[in-house]
Amino acid sequence: MNTHPAAPSELTIRRLSVDLSQGFSRHWNGGDAFLTAYANALSMSFPVGEQSFMDAVKAGATHLPETPENAELKQLAKGFIGQEATHRHLHGLYNAHLEKQGLVNHWGPRAERRLKKGREEFFSKSDKGYLHELAITAAFEHYTSIFGDITLERMDQPGDWFAHAEKPLQTLWRWHAAEESEHKCVAFDLYQRLGGNHAWRMRWFWYVTLQFITDVVRQTVNNLWHDKTLFKPSTWWSAAQFLVGRHGLVWRVAKPIWAYTRKDFHPMQVGHPTQSQDWLQSHADQWRAVGQAQASVQAAAQA
């Protein structure tokens, strides 16, 4: 049996001190067209995706019996929903500026149509539809936590996606990464606690993997097309370095992706045990806790 560090016992809902009202440059990520287009593609998926994750976790939490052993997980579900709502709001503002730059978000509407169809034709016809949505959410959360870990593990070193990004967006992406790593267990733990099985967890994981790869490639290419940088050699060189270079994405994600296939897997088995909290504490001047209950957490972090 694999042992792992304990999952967080509480989640702080934070308001980030980043002003997106003035927008940002077209190639905000160090002047690199590909790195900018790729990050923009991810952002385009977040408002719809995070709303679906919030819905799944909220539905799952309502099916948990009101027992003392479930109280903490129910509270964590509320924290998860609060964090994701903040992500959805900020990426909505971010995406509105991308629209002004002439980019077209195809990923969000496509994901929305896919989810609507799934709920109408499959989830609503099953008395365990909420479990299927939780399995999908757990799969996506595994990918966002891998993204979070990779974003934070080599900051300002070779392999840092955001080393040369404009400061507001660099902070936004690193904060988002930290919170994704922080709450990576919630959907998974709900799925397990509610009796979700390994077979369906894996079916939905491979489905999500295929859809995610297809969607991110399509939207990144579309962004580059509208940016008129799709056919520039520098774009393709950057993409090759990003994917299969010395610190390429392919090599960095292989192990944590495969880890998810184990029957005894738990999200706390992958990633650095304190990396997200280290970033949040060292950048506590960039956010404030929302609500009185969380204020003491930030005060402790700033002490």
Side-chain angles (χ1 to χ4, degrees), residues 52-98:
S52 73
F53 305 158
M54 290 158 61
D55 293 343
V57 165
K58 185 177 181 180
T62 62
H63 283 86
L64 272 182
E66 294 286 349
T67 62
E69 60 266 32
N70 288 334
E72 183 179 287
L73 188 50
K74 279 179 174 282
Q75 196 60 34
L76 283 169
K78 290 179 183 176
F80 173 96
I81 291 165
Q83 288 188 347
E84 293 288 46
T86 309
H87 300 172
R88 181 192 60 187
H89 171 70
L90 281 174
H91 282 279
L93 297 175
Y94 177 142
N95 294 348
H97 189 69
L98 296 180

Side-chain angles (χ1 to χ4, degrees), residues 28-65:
W28 58 263
N29 202 355
D32 188 305
F34 172 79
L35 289 180
T36 301
Y38 176 79
N40 288 347
L42 292 177
S43 182
M44 289 169 165
S45 76
F46 289 149
V48 171
E50 281 160 343
Q51 183 61 56
S52 73
F53 305 158
M54 290 158 61
D55 293 343
V57 165
K58 185 177 181 180
T62 62
H63 283 86
L64 272 182

Side-chain angles (χ1 to χ4, degrees), residues 46 70 93 115 163 193 217 220 263:
F46 289 149
N70 288 334
L93 297 175
L115 180 63
R193 191 79 57 91
V217 169
T220 302
K263 284 188 177 181

Side-chain angles (χ1 to χ4, degrees), residues 84-240:
E84 293 288 46
T86 309
H87 300 172
R88 181 192 60 187
H89 171 70
L90 281 174
H91 282 279
L93 297 175
Y94 177 142
N95 294 348
H97 189 69
L98 296 180
E99 239 178 82
K100 290 178 184 174
Q101 291 183 341
L103 302 185
V104 181
N105 186 351
H106 294 286
W107 190 348
R110 185 165 59 245
E112 202 160 25
R113 291 192 299 271
R114 190 184 296 144
L115 180 63
K116 185 173 183 287
K117 186 177 179 183
R119 283 175 173 164
E120 289 173 352
E121 297 181 7
F122 185 72
F123 304 140
S124 64
K125 295 179 181 178
S126 166
D127 59 353
K128 298 282 188 181
Y130 62 92
L131 264 185
H132 291 294
E133 292 202 45
L134 269 177
I136 291 169
T137 300
F140 273 115
E141 286 294 307
H142 186 56
Y143 279 109
T144 57
S145 72
I146 292 173
F147 159 83
D149 293 334
I150 290 175
T151 297
L152 298 177
E153 73 185 2
R154 297 190 58 83
M155 285 191 299
D156 303 316
Q157 301 175 58
D160 179 359
W161 298 343
F162 301 108
H164 306 294
E166 293 175 12
K167 279 297 176 186
L169 287 182
Q170 184 186 71
T171 300
L172 171 66
W173 280 104
R174 288 176 174 174
W175 161 80
H176 191 160
E179 290 201 344
E180 290 298 334
S181 294
E182 182 184 38
H183 69 222
K184 63 186 176 183
C185 301
V186 178
F188 184 93
D189 286 346
L190 271 171
Y191 180 75
Q192 297 293 100
R193 191 79 57 91
L194 289 165
N197 64 56
H198 178 73
W200 272 108
R201 179 165 71 83
M202 291 316 305
R203 286 186 190 109
W204 285 121
F205 179 67
W206 293 123
Y207 172 83
V208 163
T209 299
L210 181 63
Q211 293 290 0
F212 177 77
I213 292 171
T214 304
D215 284 335
V216 76
V217 169
R218 288 176 70 178
Q219 188 63 59
T220 302
V221 167
N222 189 271
N223 289 349
L224 290 166
W225 172 264
H226 283 283
D227 186 44
K228 298 180 173 55
T229 51
L230 178 60
F231 300 111
K232 288 191 174 182
S234 59
T235 299
W236 288 86
W237 174 250
S238 175

Side-chain angles (χ1 to χ4, degrees), residues 252-268:
R252 296 167 81 179
V253 303
K255 189 174 178 182
I257 287 175
W258 191 249
Y260 196 84
T261 65
R262 295 197 307 261
K263 284 188 177 181
D264 63 347
F265 171 79
H266 189 271
M268 290 304 294

